[in-house]
């Protein structure tokens, strides 16, 4: 971020209620970045929440921002102190906010991602194939491998292969771990 903008943001936000400024990005719950060029300095993170102040980001910029934890996009012309404080509070609470024109761009991009990348690999946005989700749902219902195979018209070996591929790909230890993972993320 430009040193002048950085100093101005720190000065403006320094003594505001509920705001604690930190020097290390790793310690930040919410990061405010000004301009899409500031994204180059941010490592990808799923735990940090990003407030991006930008004017007319391109679709590629939105994808980069999402990889960096985008929660709120504030158009530059709206970037008042009050708007930034609201955006930071929203991000901290886990709320998202995108201007409608950017939301439309993002949704069209997601549709293209599904069509061009996920669907050909038989994956969904959950990261699971429909077969994997079916097997996990049946395990969660208490069925054993043989019962799942009969229910889904698969061989027992196919059910085992589906489950083993899932465990391996997601780094899960066993069936219980897979069910807990899927439930925690709302996948089943």
């Amino acid at each position: 971020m430009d040193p002048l903008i950085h100093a101005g943001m720190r000065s403006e936000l320094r003594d505001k209620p509920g705001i604690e400024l930190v020097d290390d990005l790793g310690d930040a719950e919410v990061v405010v970045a000004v301009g899409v060029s500031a994204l180059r300095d941010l490592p990808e993170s799923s735990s940090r929440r990003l407030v991006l102040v930008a004017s007319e980001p391109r679709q590629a910029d939105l994808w980069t921002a999402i990889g960096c934890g985008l929660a709120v996009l504030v158009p530059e012309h709206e970037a008042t102190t009050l708007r930034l404080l609201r955006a930071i509070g929203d991000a901290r609470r886990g709320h998202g906010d995108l201007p409608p024109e950017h939301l439309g761009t993002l949704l069209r991009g997601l549709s293209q991602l599904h069509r061009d990348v996920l669907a050909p690999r038989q994956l969904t946005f959950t990261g699971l194939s429909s077969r994997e989700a079916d097997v996990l749902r049946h395990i969660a219902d208490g069925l054993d491998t043989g019962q799942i195979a009969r229910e889904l018209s698969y061989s027992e070996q196919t059910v085992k292969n589906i489950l083993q591929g899932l465990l391996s790909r997601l780094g899960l230890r066993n069936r219980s771990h897979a069910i807990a993972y899927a439930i925690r993320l709302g996948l089943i």
Side-chain angles (χ1 to χ4, degrees):
M1 180 184 305
D2 179 274
L4 188 59
I5 292 173
H6 184 261
M9 292 281 282
R10 287 186 71 85
S11 175
E12 189 60 31
L13 297 174
R14 177 174 292 125
D15 297 321
K16 300 299 186 265
I19 301 293
E20 178 186 345
L21 301 177
V22 296
D23 292 322
D24 184 3
L25 285 179
D27 296 333
E29 182 181 353
V30 175
V31 171
V32 178
V34 178
V36 295
S37 62
L39 298 174
R40 289 189 299 258
D41 300 330
L42 295 176
E44 289 197 4
S45 172
S46 59
S47 60
R48 176 185 50 245
R49 295 180 181 117
L50 172 67
V51 172
L52 175 62
V53 179
S55 183
E56 300 304 318
R58 297 170 302 132
Q59 186 175 32
D61 299 327
L62 286 175
W63 291 123
T64 300
I66 289 168
C68 293
L70 179 66
V72 179
L73 174 62
V74 178
E76 280 182 355
H77 67 275
E78 292 181 17
T80 64
T81 302
L82 185 59
R83 178 65 176 100
L84 285 175
L85 291 172
R86 191 174 79 223
I88 292 166
D90 286 347
R92 182 179 291 126
R93 288 186 297 278
H95 299 168
D97 186 12
L98 288 177
E101 63 274 14
H102 298 297
L103 182 58
T105 298
L106 182 62
L107 291 174
R108 284 188 303 280
L110 286 172
S111 179
Q112 181 180 358
L113 175 68
H114 181 264
R115 182 184 63 247
D116 296 346
V117 178
L118 298 175
R121 291 167 179 79
Q122 299 177 347
L123 292 173
T124 64
F125 282 113
T126 65
L128 303 177
S129 70
S130 58
R131 291 170 58 154
E132 291 168 337
D134 287 343
V135 167
L136 285 177
R137 276 194 281 284
H138 284 84
I139 292 171
D141 288 340
L143 277 65
D144 65 26
T145 304
Q147 292 168 317
I148 295 169
R150 285 189 295 282
E151 186 73 26
L152 297 177
S153 300
Y154 296 157
S155 70
E156 286 190 40
Q157 189 58 50
T158 296
V159 172
K160 290 176 184 178
N161 289 343
I162 291 169
L163 187 57
Q164 185 56 46
L166 171 74
L167 295 175
S168 176
R169 189 175 82 248
L170 298 177
L172 304 171
R173 292 183 301 276
N174 52 42
R175 290 173 178 234
S176 299
H177 192 195
I179 296 302
Y181 173 87
I183 290 172
R184 191 170 35 253
L185 294 180
L187 304 179
I188 60 169

